[in-house]
Amino acid sequence: MATTKLRVEALARRTVLSAVAVAAMTVLAACSGTTAPTSSGAPSGTLQILVSSADASDAAFKAVNGGFEKKYPKIKVVFSSVPNASYAATKSSRLTAGNVDVFVVNSFRELPAFAKDSSSDDVLLAQSGGLLDLTKQPFMAKYTKTVLDTQAIGGKQYAVPTGLSYATGVYYNKTLFEKDGLTVPTTWGELEKVMSTLKAKGVTPFGIGGKDIWPAGVVGLGIVAGEYPTAADKAKAVQSIWKGTTKLTDPVPEEILTKTEEIYQNAQPNFAGTGYADIPTGFAAGDYAMTVDGTWNAPVITAAVGSSFDIGYFPLPGSDDAKNNALLNGKIELQLAVPANAKNKTAALAWLNYFSTKSVYTTFLTGSGFTSAQPGIASTPFLDSIKQYTTTFEPGWDSVWVPNTKAGQDAVYPFNFPAMVPLGTSTPEQAAQASQTAWSAAF
Amino acid sequence: VATSFPFPRRSPVRVTFGIGLAALTVFGLVPAVAVLVVSFTDLRGLPYLPVDWVGIQNYVTFFSPAKWPDSLNALRNTVVFAVVSTVFQIALALAIALLLNRPLRGRSFYRGVVFMPTILGVTVTGLVWSLIFNVNRGPATSLLSLFGGRSAFFGDPTIALALVIVVQVWMVLGVAVIIFLSGLQSIPDELSEAANIDGAGAWKRLRFITFPLLAPAITANVLLSIVNALQSYQLTYVLSGPSNPATQVLSLLVYVQGFGGVSGTAQLQSQGYASAVSIVQFVLVGVVSLIALRFLRRREARL
């Protein structure tokens, strides 16, 4: 009797467990099937967009998405914005799962023959057929040819360049400069004078968000722009470092570190503990007179400052020759690609086409703060104010430099900014020696 | 019937044991073996990219002259983090547990307060301490300025690791205290009373009764703390970023290599290399844990 009862209970348990399992599988199947795989025909279904986050560009993308959904009511845009530090991991998992239709590719340029092994994952992805070839898409013709040329892989186009940014400039408090009788410095010597004058008046010259490390590296990018002003100069320097004819302890690389360190010495106390996101607030509060930052952050800085004072922007003069400091150095901003395994290619292409139309793209640029990658697009007042520094597009060091994946962390940039006081514990000479050691050990 | 107590039949035991074993195999053993296999490849974790067998190349790279300074720095930080946080955690937890084991008004409330950081989780803990050590207007900055001092706290390479250890100890202290408390409560009061009658003072009762009988709890706490500290990277990541050499521990190196590259550079992510680093870390955790276990067991037997 007891045995029969146990059997009945066991049967009941099994039935309940089976029902739960079937229900769970049904729910999971339902969850994974929300996107209609529409690779042809009228765009519809869900469009998954993945970007690396920045406040200004995120807001601009959301505005584009809103307009797109109105134009294509059958498409639901799912927009994911992920912090830079975790973007690669998110991209990897979502590409593997096949649930992204438009995403940002990084370090997307063909490398010179001597550094082929350092090609980025996204370049390898394009070369392996993992990205949709956009070369013949009509919307690609709207973008500036020279910009497209710099991102061509094997002569083909795989990404839409959302814009350009300049990273080697300095935001300054125009009102304070005028009050103190200071003019925009055009040489390194003049910048040194500006820094000492400000200090003498009790004003901290620079604000740097050193806790995130890379903003302190942006200072270095500005100095490099003065030392190697043209794209050809930079390419030559990269090649000579790779071939070993230039050592990272040679006078020019060491001077880059020495000048960068001098700016660190003129930054706010304990800047190594200040986050990048805190800088606009400190600048707006008058805690410092200048901050080295990219044009991508202009909307955030402008909003933080409001009407408190006037803002200006000038190229960080890393050289003693004003000619070498005349232009801002920049990079192609977020480049959008479509993976070959995208479930909704039709919607992805429709979105890129919509994004590239003149009115939508103009609105995007206004919100993001990017400079146009299309010819004939009206600029924002801020970008208009720096036109004299952007007459020719000069790529920044980060767009030309090719890191060696076999080298240690001291040679990543390869100028070893993070090792210097106060981010690290080294002098410029020690930092240069460490980067040279890390670099040469990789060959 | 007596042999199958507390179950009337063996099948429920087999089924429950089988489910546990299957879960461990699927979610523990298989991934562990997979990581070992992946460590011999150049897997990058992206579709369409070929995966090649590279033998021991990833291990050679980890110990190569170019990478060794970074590897050594991460190894050194990991060991310092584990040893210092374990020592402080055990000492503090033991002191607090002894205090909270005494008759005390509001004892349950204090126990709750001590345990509370454990349930906050890494992100909330990181946020709380980032605010406390905010260099602009944080309470620690204000306090330090009263004495004319200033610091970049988590941005200062000379003290960043020490501060992360402080936060780690604060966060995990509650669990250690609970384990010690349960150990203390299992010690019969009669032993202390008898020793008291024999004239043993507080220190002698602690040295010759409490410590020996608390030895299993100390073993459990030390082992848990060492393993936890050797594997921890989340706090370091939240408090001082993913690529700060001053606080880079092995687990963080695995994370950066496997899931992010170095932000702001073209440094690539490589899950093959990350797997090799995680195997090195596994060996380190295994060796240290075994040595600690052996030492603690011998000590238990001596006591």
Side-chain angles (χ1 to χ4, degrees), chain A residues 85 89 92 95-96 107 120-121 124-125 128 130 211 269-270 272-274 340-341 405-409 412-413 422-424 441, chain B residues 44-49 66-67 70 135 137 150-152 155 157 237 239 243 248 253 255 259-260 263 265-269 271:
Chain A
S92 167
L95 280 173
T96 306
S107 305
S120 76
D121 289 351
L124 295 175
L125 204 58
S128 312
K211 193 179 172 191
N270 305 311
T274 308
N341 65 352
T405 53
K406 291 172 188 154
Q409 287 178 17
V412 166
Y413 295 101
L423 304 172
Chain B
R44 293 190 186 215
L46 285 174
Y48 295 97
L49 298 191
K67 294 279 187 187
D70 300 333
V135 293
R137 290 163 187 91
R150 44 169 67 153
S151 172
Y237 179 92
L239 293 172
S243 48
Q248 189 148 65
L253 199 62
Y255 175 82
F259 302 106
S263 180
T265 73
Q267 186 110 324
L268 312 172
Q269 64 170 0
Q271 293 177 357

Side-chain angles (χ1 to χ4, degrees), chain B residues 155-280:
Chain B
D156 184 339
T158 57
I159 60 165
L161 188 62
L163 288 179
V164 176
I165 290 172
V166 168
V167 180
Q168 164 82 2
V169 171
W170 181 83
M171 191 177 75
V172 299
L173 193 67
V175 174
V177 170
I178 295 293
I179 293 172
F180 278 139
L181 272 176
S182 64
L184 287 170
Q185 283 164 13
S186 68
I187 300 173
D189 290 340
E190 292 80 6
L191 290 175
S192 280
E193 285 163 12
N196 203 15
I197 292 165
D198 288 344
W203 169 246
K204 280 196 172 170
R205 291 203 300 277
L206 194 68
R207 168 73 183 83
F208 295 106
I209 295 174
T210 308
F211 281 169
L213 293 175
L214 205 56
I218 294 174
T219 302
N221 255 338
V222 170
L223 272 180
L224 280 175
S225 176
I226 288 176
V227 172
N228 187 25
L230 286 172
Q231 294 178 338
S232 167
Y233 77 93
Q234 305 92 324
L235 253 190
T236 317
Y237 179 92
V238 174
L239 293 172
S240 57
S243 48
N244 187 338
T247 54
Q248 189 148 65
V249 288
L250 269 181
S251 313
L252 196 55
L253 199 62
V254 173
Y255 175 82
V256 169
Q257 290 291 338
F259 302 106
V262 177
S263 180
T265 73
Q267 186 110 324
L268 312 172
Q269 64 170 0
S270 164
Q271 293 177 357
Y273 183 66
S275 300
V277 181
S278 66
I279 292 295
V280 172

Side-chain angles (χ1 to χ4, degrees), chain A residues 12-372:
Chain A
R13 276 199 301 274
R14 274 182 214 137
T15 310
V16 171
L17 281 172
S18 304
V20 169
V22 169
M25 284 165 69
T26 310
V27 169
L28 286 172
C31 286
S32 61
T34 50
T35 302
T38 51
S39 292
S40 59
S44 63
T46 302
L47 174 67
Q48 300 272 0
I49 300 176
L50 174 68
V51 301
S52 46
S53 70
D55 290 346
S57 57
D58 286 354
F61 274 126
K62 282 174 189 167
V64 172
N65 294 339
F68 181 72
E69 282 180 328
K70 270 187 191 159
K71 187 174 179 185
Y72 296 97
K74 288 185 180 171
I75 300 179
K76 182 182 181 324
V77 178
V78 177
F79 178 72
S80 311
S81 170
V82 178
N84 281 320
S86 51
Y87 179 74
T90 309
K91 182 182 75 178
S92 167
S93 58
R94 292 193 56 178
L95 280 173
T96 306
N99 73 343
V100 63
D101 302 302
V102 176
F103 74 107
V104 170
V105 286
N106 293 319
S107 305
F108 203 66
R109 62 196 160 98
E110 221 161 28
L111 298 185
F114 58 81
K116 281 278 185 220
D117 289 346
S118 289
S119 289
S120 76
D121 289 351
D122 292 329
V123 170
L124 295 175
L125 204 58
Q127 289 168 338
S128 312
L131 299 180
L132 210 61
D133 181 1
L134 303 176
T135 315
K136 290 182 180 161
Q137 293 296 328
F139 54 78
M140 291 304 288
K142 294 177 181 170
Y143 291 90
T144 308
K145 190 178 175 304
T146 49
V147 173
L148 293 181
D149 286 347
T150 62
Q151 60 162 31
I153 308 293
K156 291 179 180 174
Q157 292 298 325
Y158 294 94
V160 167
T162 59
L164 308 172
S165 275
Y166 297 95
T168 59
V170 180
Y171 290 92
Y172 72 104
N173 184 332
K174 236 179 183 175
T175 312
L176 183 76
F177 265 50
E178 280 164 13
K179 195 181 114 200
D180 290 342
L182 296 168
T183 53
V184 168
T186 57
T187 63
W188 176 251
E190 287 175 15
L191 180 67
E192 283 183 314
K193 273 185 198 152
V194 167
M195 290 192 288
S196 59
T197 307
L198 286 168
K199 261 189 159 175
K201 289 179 184 287
V203 178
T204 303
F206 280 99
I208 302 173
K211 193 179 172 191
D212 295 304
I213 296 184
W214 69 264
V218 173
V219 176
L221 281 184
I223 304 294
V224 177
E227 298 286 358
Y228 303 117
T230 66
D233 292 336
K234 292 182 186 79
K236 202 173 150 194
V238 171
Q239 189 166 5
S240 64
I241 291 170
W242 268 82
K243 293 198 168 168
T245 49
T246 293
K247 304 268 184 246
L248 294 166
T249 46
D250 283 353
V252 173
E254 203 168 298
E255 189 174 279
I256 288 168
L257 291 180
T258 311
K259 287 179 175 172
T260 304
E261 197 242 3
E262 195 172 332
I263 291 184
Y264 289 174
Q265 298 302 327
N266 282 277
Q268 84 276 26
N270 305 311
F271 79 81
T274 308
Y276 175 67
D278 296 330
I279 293 300
T281 316
F283 180 61
D287 292 348
Y288 19 84
M290 301 177 278
T291 181
V292 184
D293 202 346
T295 53
W296 62 79
N297 217 21
V300 176
I301 290 177
T302 309
V305 171
S307 56
S308 303
F309 52 82
D310 291 332
I311 307 170
Y313 192 75
F314 63 85
L316 180 69
S319 168
D320 280 318
D321 185 346
K323 261 202 331 272
N324 294 342
N325 306 320
L327 294 173
L328 289 164
N329 285 193
K331 62 172 181 175
I332 301 177
E333 268 299 345
L334 308 173
Q335 293 153 289
L336 299 172
V338 179
N341 65 352
K343 284 181 181 158
N344 205 344
K345 291 192 190 81
T346 312
L349 293 174
W351 189 91
L352 290 175
N353 185 42
Y354 175 78
F355 175 85
S356 306
T357 52
K358 192 171 179 179
S359 59
V360 176
Y361 186 60
T362 306
T363 311
F364 174 80
L365 293 178
T366 308
S368 65
F370 296 167
T371 303
S372 178

Side-chain angles (χ1 to χ4, degrees), chain B residues 66-128:
Chain B
K67 294 279 187 187
W68 180 238
D70 300 333
S71 308
L72 183 65
N73 177 52
L75 274 166
R76 192 171 45 224
N77 285 343
T78 306
V79 171
V80 169
F81 186 86
V83 171
V84 178
S85 67
T86 300
V87 168
F88 277 94
Q89 184 187 326
I90 298 302
L92 260 176
L94 188 57
I96 291 171
L98 287 169
L99 189 71
L100 293 180
N101 197 42
R102 296 164 66 89
L104 196 69
R105 186 191 288 266
R107 190 168 65 172
S108 300
F109 171 75
Y110 294 130
R111 285 179 181 176
V113 168
V114 170
F115 192 72
M116 197 180 66
T118 307
I119 59 170
L120 287 181
V122 175
T123 312
V124 178
T125 301
L127 183 65
V128 167

